[in-house]
Amino acid sequence: MSKPGVKFLAITFLIMFAGWGTCVVLGLYGLTLSNCMPLYLPFLLGGFSPTLASYIVLKQEKGVGLRSWLAQIFDFRQSLLAYLLPAILILVYGIPQLLISGYDQGAPFAMLILLIPMMVFGGGNEEAGWRHVLQPELEKRLPFVISTVLVALVWWLWHLPLFYIPGVGQYGTNYLLFGVSVLGLSFALAAIKRITGSTLLCLLFHCLVNALLSVFIVHEDLLGYVVSASLLILVSVVLVLLSARFKVLLKTSSP
């Protein structure tokens, strides 16, 4: 892996362990997010670790300033078809799980208007790291599929402390099933990045997924997760191949 990629991973996991590690340790002594508000500071620090590492690495390695970095992340100049891509992949991801696994109703559907922008702080911001830095750095040396699998593995491992922090959505859920979902989502996000060149659309897709999971509480079911991830991987790879061959959905703004 390239120097920026290695540095990004090191800084990301260092910040994550400092933040979420604090939450895990204090949780052993009965301090949780529900009874200790100051814990939200290390909790948010851990969640923003890929984002912070992205800026630090690009600043040190490529001289990217804050304004330029933000402009790269929040580049709205995409084609209409590019904006439709996250919506298409959301349907491929969500419909099989809802039909096969079943779900409970969570937040009202109308809450999506508020939940989607809120999820910039509840997961979407990670794309400034995983898909803006790590995925492209890996693809400089490795094929698309291998790079995506490696990013999925890193992303999955990075989430592990959340399963040991009381009061967090992942607490007490199945970490292996989560890994299946992460693999499928990684291919969708990598496809969005490869086809459109846009980190913003990756961020939008991530926010949509997290917001919808607050509305539809999907039951933990192996078949539903496997079918959903498999379809997402298949569709994502096919879209990447088609975009390379027929030059569709290409990024419209400058790199």
Side-chain angles (χ1 to χ4, degrees), residues 190-221:
I192 292 170
K193 181 65 176 179
R194 168 67 76 90
I195 293 168
T196 68
S198 171
T199 301
L200 173 70
L201 294 180
C202 295
L203 186 153
L204 175 61
F205 178 83
H206 199 144
C207 289
L208 284 169
V209 169
N210 287 3
L212 286 169
L213 288 176
S214 297
V215 174
F216 302 103
I217 312 300
V218 180
H219 299 160
E220 291 190 335
D221 177 79

Side-chain angles (χ1 to χ4, degrees), residues 158-208:
W158 177 82
H159 276 92
L160 180 60
L162 292 179
F163 289 76
Y164 296 93
I165 301 176
V168 176
Q170 289 89 345
Y171 183 74
T173 60
N174 192 308
Y175 182 60
L176 293 178
L177 284 183
F178 177 75
V180 175
S181 182
V182 162
L183 180 61
L185 291 171
S186 293
F187 270 88
L189 287 159
I192 292 170
K193 181 65 176 179
R194 168 67 76 90
I195 293 168
T196 68
S198 171
T199 301
L200 173 70
L201 294 180
C202 295
L203 186 153
L204 175 61
F205 178 83
H206 199 144
C207 289
L208 284 169

Side-chain angles (χ1 to χ4, degrees), residues 11 33 109 130 173 248:
I11 295 173
L33 294 173
F109 193 80
W130 306 130
T173 60
V248 298

